[in-house]
Each structure stands twice: as C-alpha cells, then as structure tokens.
Amino acid sequence: MHLPRQLGPLHDLPDTPEAYDAALAGAVEEALARLTPQGSLEHPDCVDDIGDTSLGVTSLLALAWQRGKDPRLPEAVRRSLAFHLRQRVYTDDNPGYPNLRARGTGLPYARYVLEAGAHPIGDWPSTVWALLQSVDLLDLAEGLVGDEQRAELLRVARGYWRWLTEATFFNPQEAGNQAIGCVVGGLMLARHLPAPEGDETRERALRLYEQEIRAHRVRDRGALLPPEHGGAYDNNYGPISLSFLAQAHRVSGEEVFAEDGDALARYIDARLPGGGFDNGGPRYSEQHSGFESVLGLRYFSARIGSDLGRYRGDTRWGRHAVRADGGIDGHFAWMLVWQIQDGTRWHRTPSTAPARHQLRAGGVSVAFDDRMTPSLLEAAGTYYLPAAVNRQHGFGPVTDGFLFCRPMGETRVRDAAADGLTAKLVSKPVVGRDHVLRHVRSLYVTDGTSLWMTVAVERLPGTPYLLAGLPYAADDGERVRRTAEGGVTAAGELRLTHPESDGGDQFDARAERTQEEAAFALAADPRGYGNPDLGWSHLAGSTALEAEPAPGAPDGLHVFAVRYGPAGPFAPVLAADGSGLTVRTESFIAVIGEPAGDAHGEPELSLTAV
C-alpha cells in the first residue's frame, strides 16, 4: 500500500508564470461553469471549512483578470462577492461557540459549518481565512469592483479583524498557523485603512505576534518554534506556519518574521531526510500540506540556502484545495495568490553546514530528536522509525527489556568529514535499571549511499542487542509505500522481529496500517483532535531490527555495528588502546575517543577513508 498524502517533492511542481497562468485558467473555467444564479462558487460537496471558500475562488478570478483581462471575469467577481457579503457573513452569535469574550457584538464572522450551532469550534480559523480572502480581494479589486461594493468588503474585513481580536479569545486552538495567519490578515488590512486606524491596526498585529505567539514559542531540537495545537511542530501545519511567516515578512518588512522563519526553516531542514518524508505532530502525524506550504518553503529555502522544497507534499493539492472529485475548493486560496505574486525561486541544493540534529549526505539522512536519538533514518530509499520495546522508543542497546537511549546528563556531539565521508559522534550518559551510569557512544558515518552505525557501551549484563529501527516506508517513484523490511547488514546476528500479539498498543509493520492510524487509535481524544504523537508514545512494542553484539569487541565493552544500504561484506574490526575505540570497516577507519572526552569533556573523533 502507498501512503495516501506524501507524494512528490513540492519543488518538482512547475512554478513559472506560464504554469501559474495555466493553473488559473483551469480554475477560471471550472468556476464559471459552477457559478450559481445566486453567485455561489462553493463546491457542491463542501460542508465544513466552507465559510471562506466561495470568496477564495473569487480572489482567484480577480487575480486571473489582473493578469489576463478576461472579459468574462468582472461580472463573475462582482456576483460572487455579492453572494459572500449577502449569504456568508454572520453577525449573530453562533449557538454553542465557547470562545466569545463579548456576546451580542454584531461583529461579522465566518462559519466553519453553515448550520447554526453545528461544530462552531472552527469559526475562529474560518474567520481568519475569510479575512485573508477579503484582504486579497481588496488588493486585487481595482478595475473590478465598484466603490460601494469595495467599501462594504472593507467594512466586513475590518469587522472580521475586530471579531478575531476583540470579541473572542485570540488563538483559542493554540494553533500557530492560524494565529500567524490572523496577524498577516491584520497587517494586510492595515494597508487599506486610513490613518491613524491603519497604523493602529498594524501595531496591534505586531503586538499580538510578540505577546501571543512569539512569547509562547516551544523549544524542540534546539529551536524556538511557534506552538502548533499544543506541540512544538506539526509536519502538516508547520510548513503552513512558515508560509504565513513569509507573507508577514513580505507585507510588513519586519525583521522578526524573517528571523523566526529562518529558525523554523532550519528546523524543518534538519528534521527532513533527503527524500522529503516526514511524520509527527500534535494533530496530523502523516498528513501533508501541498500548495499551502510552497510559499514558505520556497521563500526560506532561498534565505537559508537549502533545498526545503524536497518536502513531500500532497501534490493533489499542488495548486489549490480540491474535493474528493478533484474539483476546486477555495479553501486557503490566498496561498496560491501569494505564491504567484512572490518572485522568489527555489534553492535546490542542500546546505553543507553541519547541523547538530542532522546527518545528511547524498541519499542518506539521519534526523535526531531532542535526546540526539534518531527520529527518522533514511538509507537506500527506505525510511526507518524508532522501534518500540516495553513502551520505550528509540535506537540503542537493550538488555533485560531496558533501552539505553534516554540521557541522564549532557549529550555531546562531534562532527567530522574526510574524503567523501561525513560522520557524527553522539556521546550520552545513560542510567540503567541497575542504577549504574554508562556512556553510550553512537557513531554514524555515511558516504551518501550507505550508513554505518556503531554503538559502544560499557559491558551490559544479560543478553543485550541493538534496537536498530522499525522499517516503515520506502520510495516508490513519486509515491511512498509501506514496507516491513529494509536493506540492513550487521556484524553480529541480525533479526527482524514482529509483535506476538495484534493488540492496539502493538505495531506490526506487515499490516496494512499507517503510523498515523495507529497513533490516533492510541490518542486520548477523537481522531482530528487527539494528539497522535502522545498516542504513539503509548505504543508498547513494534516490528524491530535487532542486532547482536559485534564479535571481537575489546574487554569491558559491548559494541554493536550495523550498516544500512546496499548489501555486501561487512566485518568491522574493533580494537582499543589508550586513545579510544578503533573501528575499521571496508570504507573507513574511525577512532572514537574515551567517554571522558577532551579537556572540555567533548567527545573526540578521528575519521579516515580507506
């Protein structure tokens, strides 16, 4: 089976003016055929996330007219705008909406579901989206919309802003992408308001960003990130937040948006493997955005000098939102407008600067979590997740059911490179169930095709093995398919184990089940609202690669050695002297320093190609 949403890298989508004109032309023909006598451009199957969609298609028509002056479009824009102003602007409080700070204000808002009291919790983001569609249309209205209709649209947009920032609590879902989107709406609205109101609106938007978003950033993997639905990052919404930061910088020129976008972009770059597959987040563990991410990934790929566009998006949403039948949906249409207006081009080559939480070369990548344990490993087109044993997740030595990967003290990192090889040494103190402190030294070396992992630890009791990952997915052309195997070779005996039970807290990679489905099943709240990362943390066991100790390890040590990638002879030679542990393979000689490190306690590593 293929994963349903992670398709092609987003930078593979043509983004020339001609390609965008073709996308707009297709949207125009579909919209004109759909336009109802009442002026609606909504998809007939749309039920939720509907409050901004007709207006979103209207903004695409307006942009198409500005670029091509199609004489059919002015009347369609005016009719569809009239429909939104007449039928999709609500001023009575939605029954059951829980986040109002003032009742009966009469301020306009957009509904997530049109029926009164039906799922009102989504009204805040729907109103953000309606505000953004409105300000886009205000930007594009010249020559299309009469003064009276434009004035009414401006009045409604001003009301949306006030409802979002006065009548309700700000960012009630703790969703960074929604909150930054609201700030962008205020910044864009301010340009259409007379002084001093425009200046006040701009200042309020900037203040909200500083006080309600930036002050609440969450640290993950060394980066401060806008919180997303209660977590630090979501692999669907995080790149959307990056797009909002790009637009905020474009329209305001405020350096804070560029700085925060750079930080988020470098974080995404470090967690993404070369193939662009990613999973994880507090809402959508494997769902991926499409066109909504393009602006931010492209804008900041140029700023940080790395190929962020390798991110595998949902290319079914490559240009705009669509329904199940492929028909256009105006949801998030402003992102297509903005990416067409922005002249930034993709940066397509990787950054060569070492990153603490990443090892990457050629077709090999290791992304590390906060504990400097691999969170995602890629080699030969296969993606490995941390395996689970006894409710413990990660890569590392296991003995008597205890996984040695959670540091008890400072984790040290040393990078090295030599003649086409790139390496990272991670040294961490770990306390086992026997309360003995041991130093786990993990060496990762790659030539861009294979990945060698060597793990050394003071001798363990019992019958230890290395938990070496859960083979989960593999590249299959432009798709990613589920897998339960990978190309791995070990110096000791290697086995691929599967859970003995099919309980909900066990994940068997052979089953036709995605990590996202399993994670939501273990989450405390319903799918779409629960935290799949937290749910996945309840996983008790999984398919796992288990490697026995390598033969010939020096006295006092257990050493494990595995190689991910093409098959072939693998018989590393291990030796120890006063300078540390020497690892000799068919491709390199590495000397891993003693746990005490150098004069500053930092790990020592030397690397030589053979």
Side-chain angles (χ1 to χ4, degrees), residues 274-438:
F277 169 82
D278 190 19
N279 75 303
R283 280 289 291 273
Y284 293 116
S285 189
E286 286 184 306
Q287 292 191 41
H288 268 48
S289 49
F291 76 102
E292 316 102 291
S293 300
V294 167
L295 175 67
L297 294 170
R298 190 175 67 191
Y299 192 83
F300 285 101
S301 74
R303 283 188 56 90
I304 71 169
S306 194
D307 56 337
L308 295 179
R310 69 187 188 275
Y311 175 94
R312 283 187 183 269
D314 189 341
T315 51
R316 295 170 302 182
W317 281 40
R319 299 302 187 191
H320 46 68
V322 297
R323 307 301 294 182
D325 64 358
I328 188 171
D329 181 328
H331 188 49
F332 267 53
W334 64 84
M335 286 295 191
L336 178 57
V337 172
W338 298 344
Q339 63 176 274
I340 291 174
Q341 293 171 335
D342 178 54
T344 308
R345 300 277 65 86
W346 289 109
H347 183 98
R348 296 182 178 275
T349 56
S351 170
T352 58
R356 178 179 173 88
H357 295 277
Q358 179 192 57
L359 175 68
R360 181 185 174 203
V364 172
S365 306
V366 185
F368 296 89
D369 63 17
D370 256 344
R371 305 178 305 188
M372 286 305 297
T373 296
S375 61
L376 181 62
L377 189 154
E378 171 197 28
T382 299
Y383 303 97
Y384 302 83
L385 301 178
V389 57
N390 289 344
R391 300 189 184 277
Q392 305 161 92
H393 299 203
F395 290 75
V398 177
T399 187
D400 296 328
F402 185 84
L403 172 61
F404 287 77
C405 74
R406 294 172 299 281
M408 179 66 72
E410 191 66 25
T411 298
R412 312 290 186 112
V413 178
R414 175 63 61 90
D415 291 287
D419 298 326
L421 298 171
T422 308
K424 188 180 294 286
L425 173 63
V426 177
S427 179
K428 62 175 76 171
V430 178
V431 174
R433 287 204 174 104
D434 56 6
H435 289 214
V436 173
L437 179 71
R438 293 178 173 85

Side-chain angles (χ1 to χ4, degrees), residues 183-200:
V183 167
V184 171
L187 294 170
M188 295 182 70
L189 173 65
R191 303 186 301 181
H192 294 280
L193 298 174
E197 185 183 0
D199 295 336
E200 292 170 355

Side-chain angles (χ1 to χ4, degrees), residues 417-421 445 447 584-590 606-610:
D419 298 326
L421 298 171
V445 181
D447 60 1
R584 182 187 295 269
T585 74
E586 70 282 7
S587 297
F588 65 87
I589 301 171
S606 68
L607 181 68
T608 306
V610 298

Side-chain angles (χ1 to χ4, degrees), residues 105-135:
T105 62
L107 291 171
Y109 66 94
R111 285 186 177 175
Y112 180 77
V113 175
L114 299 181
E115 181 185 352
H119 203 79
I121 196 70
D123 289 356
W124 201 86
S126 287
T127 304
V128 174
W129 312 152
L131 171 62
L132 292 170
Q133 313 285 25
S134 298
V135 292

Side-chain angles (χ1 to χ4, degrees), residues 475-608:
D475 291 338
D476 187 10
E478 287 197 350
R479 302 296 301 274
V480 179
R481 61 176 171 80
R482 286 278 286 102
T483 190
E485 58 188 16
V488 183
T489 308
E493 181 185 341
L494 180 71
R495 56 186 174 266
L496 180 64
T497 65
H498 303 285
E500 296 181 357
S501 75
D502 58 359
D505 63 350
Q506 306 288 325
F507 187 82
D508 190 328
R510 297 169 298 180
E512 289 196 358
R513 193 183 195 194
T514 67
Q515 188 267 354
E516 178 186 336
E517 291 168 336
F520 267 119
L522 291 168
D525 295 307
R527 183 179 177 88
Y529 303 95
N531 183 337
D533 274 5
L534 187 58
W536 187 253
S537 72
H538 297 149
L539 192 72
S542 73
T543 292
L545 286 160
E546 300 176 354
E548 297 288 339
D555 291 342
L557 289 179
H558 270 124
V559 180
F560 308 87
V562 296
R563 185 185 64 204
Y564 303 82
F570 181 52
V573 177
L574 309 170
D577 57 24
S579 61
L581 173 67
T582 298
V583 180
R584 182 187 295 269
T585 74
E586 70 282 7
S587 297
F588 65 87
I589 301 171
V591 180
I592 303 171
E594 293 298 320
D598 62 15
H600 302 285
E602 296 298 327
E604 295 183 285
L605 172 64
S606 68
L607 181 68
T608 306

